Amino acid sequence: MPCGGESQRYFPLDQGLGLTRLQDGHFLYVDPMDEAVAAHLIAHGYWENWIHKVVCSLVRPGDHIVEVGANFGYYTVAMARQTGPNGSILAFEANPGLADLVRRSVHFNGYSPTVKVLAKAASDKAGTLSFAISRRNAGGGTISTTPGALGPDSVLVTVETVTLDSVAPDDVRFIRMDAEGSEPLILRGAERLLQRPDIVVCMEWDVIQMSARADVRELIAWLSSLGFQYWSIQYDSTLRSVPAAEMPTLPACDIVMAREAPPGVPLTTAGSPDAV
């Protein structure tokens, strides 16, 4: 491992804590035990670069943003840079350990004035739920009552749930979600926010995971009745239009949902593969 200088990417701070430099210049506190997102950030300095580019293109200066599933804060700090000092981010991370790391990263990068991190789960109603967390699979945190749901090191914690409509301001224009299948519940709890004509949603779309929480066809019918259209994010960071009828069988990917094609992101040419 390098001893110093600009070539050094990872700085071990403790047995279970490190600081890593990203390719975009940000720094993130990470748990080196995580074998997915943190491992990739430590080794390469980026994660899901095709999605990262689209997210940064969708965020405008001064935007007010809600993020659900902040993980280590990779997208949080990227969006904070894009929205600037006149915007804001309300970031949810149900894993309390990760939420603490995100807060530290937000402060380290100078975004504390505009970013608030909540160690809560967004859902369709207020209350509490049982949530499985794991250090080896930090990004896999999910609603569960099974102690070993994420592997031998996973444990259950009780987390508070809130609806986005109850805590987010009226002027939210962008929502980013990666919630391991809980996206239908989160959207149902954001009916007020979704009424904004120019709202844009970027979210993970995994029909298998979401089907454990809701009827996906009913979800699509409801969203379509609100006027939403759908695009899948491609590996070349373009958007491919997806008809509502194809959404129930769309392979796992990240999608953008809006009432019209979002400006700033090119549409794909025919035949481009979906990102998975």
Side-chain angles (χ1 to χ4, degrees), residues 13-86:
L13 303 177
D14 201 346
Q15 184 175 3
L17 179 66
L19 184 68
T20 189
R21 177 192 285 120
L22 305 181
Q23 286 190 351
D24 68 0
H26 286 115
F27 287 82
L28 290 184
Y29 287 95
V30 295
D31 182 350
M33 284 289 293
D34 178 58
E35 298 176 352
V37 178
H40 204 278
L41 293 176
I42 291 169
H44 304 292
Y46 67 89
W47 174 255
E48 300 176 333
N49 54 346
W50 68 99
I51 301 172
H52 180 271
K53 182 178 179 180
V54 170
V55 169
C56 290
S57 297
L58 290 172
V59 174
R60 305 183 306 204
D63 269 349
H64 300 286
I65 298 168
V66 169
E67 179 182 35
V68 183
N71 197 265
F72 288 107
Y74 176 68
Y75 287 103
T76 316
V77 295
M79 294 188 296
R81 172 182 284 169
Q82 294 299 114
T83 192
N86 296 321

Side-chain angles (χ1 to χ4, degrees), residues 56-118:
C56 290
S57 297
L58 290 172
V59 174
R60 305 183 306 204
D63 269 349
H64 300 286
I65 298 168
V66 169
E67 179 182 35
V68 183
N71 197 265
F72 288 107
Y74 176 68
Y75 287 103
T76 316
V77 295
M79 294 188 296
R81 172 182 284 169
Q82 294 299 114
T83 192
N86 296 321
S88 68
I89 298 177
L90 182 62
F92 289 81
E93 176 47 60
N95 182 327
L98 288 184
D100 181 61
L101 294 182
V102 178
R103 290 191 190 99
R104 295 177 68 173
S105 294
V106 165
H107 178 73
F108 188 95
N109 289 282
Y111 297 128
S112 294
T114 59
V115 179
K116 181 179 181 181
V117 181
L118 295 181

Side-chain angles (χ1 to χ4, degrees), residues 136-255:
R136 294 180 65 181
N137 182 18
T142 186
I143 299 171
S144 178
T145 57
T146 305
L150 298 177
D153 79 321
S154 70
V155 297
L156 298 179
V157 296
T158 300
V159 300
E160 180 184 353
T161 63
V162 296
T163 67
L164 295 187
D165 279 349
S166 69
V167 296
D170 291 334
D171 51 1
V172 169
R173 193 198 68 88
F174 187 71
I175 300 174
R176 193 199 80 85
M177 290 190 292
D178 186 345
E180 302 301 301
S182 293
E183 290 83 3
L185 304 179
I186 297 163
L187 290 169
R188 287 292 187 179
E191 292 190 47
R192 172 179 59 83
L193 296 181
L194 295 178
Q195 296 300 320
R196 176 168 170 149
D198 62 345
I199 192 79
V200 177
V201 179
C202 182
M203 59 182 281
E204 185 178 60
W205 186 264
D206 189 322
V207 173
I208 294 175
Q209 286 189 331
M210 292 190 298
S211 294
R213 312 276 182 243
D215 185 315
V216 175
R217 292 184 182 275
E218 287 185 3
L219 172 70
I220 297 164
W222 172 60
L223 293 171
S224 298
S225 74
L226 297 178
F228 285 105
Q229 302 176 54
Y230 316 94
W231 295 264
S232 63
I233 299 177
Q234 309 298 289
Y235 281 124
D236 60 0
S237 298
T238 61
L239 300 180
R240 180 180 73 86
S241 179
V242 181
E246 294 182 13
M247 292 298 290
T249 57
L250 186 69
C253 63
D254 279 64
I255 68 164

